[in-house]
Amino acid sequence: MRAGFLAGVLLLAGGYTWLAFAELAWLSSAGRLGPGFFPRIVGGALVVLCAWSLAAELRRGARERLSEFWRVTLVLALLSGLFVAALDVLGGLASMIAYLAVTLAFLNRRRHWQNALLAVLLPLGIYLLFRVWLNAAVPRGLLPF
């Protein structure tokens, strides 16, 4: 199960990294760091770490049965896909808040106040970091912020 998961993540990381190198410029026209700077670093690190983990898992050669947490993994994968789809519709901030609220409600069922605080404060901090401090583009969506 781990080897299959790592192989799947490695394929996704490879596609992400290929897009970062093929579609995004390393430097902007003004000579500053461009939109491809962080995606290339993150993608390269993902590919290296996933390949290393996959190789270690294959060397170990352990036979595993299907984990009892496959349902949780499936739900989180589905929620992550919905989050990516919601970025263009709801915008970055609202999508992050909705994603964290639903995900934390699923994973951390008994701590409602903690979930609510995390679901609002963490995306707000990320939004302020990227939008205000770094002046980076955050998906707008249909909402005006």
Side-chain angles (χ1 to χ4, degrees), residues 1-3 14 27 33 39 44 49-50 55 57 65 69 73 75-76 94 96 103-104 106-107 116 127 129 133 136-137:
M1 180 73 180
R2 273 188 204 160
L27 297 174
L33 295 177
L49 292 173
C50 284
E57 186 66 26
R65 61 178 179 79
F69 300 113
T73 305
V75 168
L76 288 178
M96 285 188 283
T103 303
L104 287 171
F106 177 70
L107 294 175
Y127 179 81
L129 171 73
W133 188 49

Side-chain angles (χ1 to χ4, degrees), residues 25-99:
W26 179 260
L27 297 174
S28 69
S29 59
R32 293 188 214 132
L33 295 177
F37 179 73
F38 284 120
R40 288 180 182 190
I41 292 172
V42 170
L46 276 171
V47 167
V48 168
L49 292 173
C50 284
W52 183 24
S53 296
L54 180 60
E57 186 66 26
L58 292 174
R59 268 194 309 268
R60 199 172 76 170
R63 293 274 186 217
E64 293 183 11
R65 61 178 179 79
L66 190 61
S67 171
E68 66 259 18
F69 300 113
W70 68 271
R71 287 188 182 116
V72 174
T73 305
L74 185 64
V75 168
L76 288 178
L78 177 67
L79 289 174
S80 297
L82 290 173
F83 166 68
V84 171
L87 282 172
D88 287 335
V89 178
L90 298 177
L93 181 59
S95 295
M96 285 188 283
I97 290 172
Y99 173 74

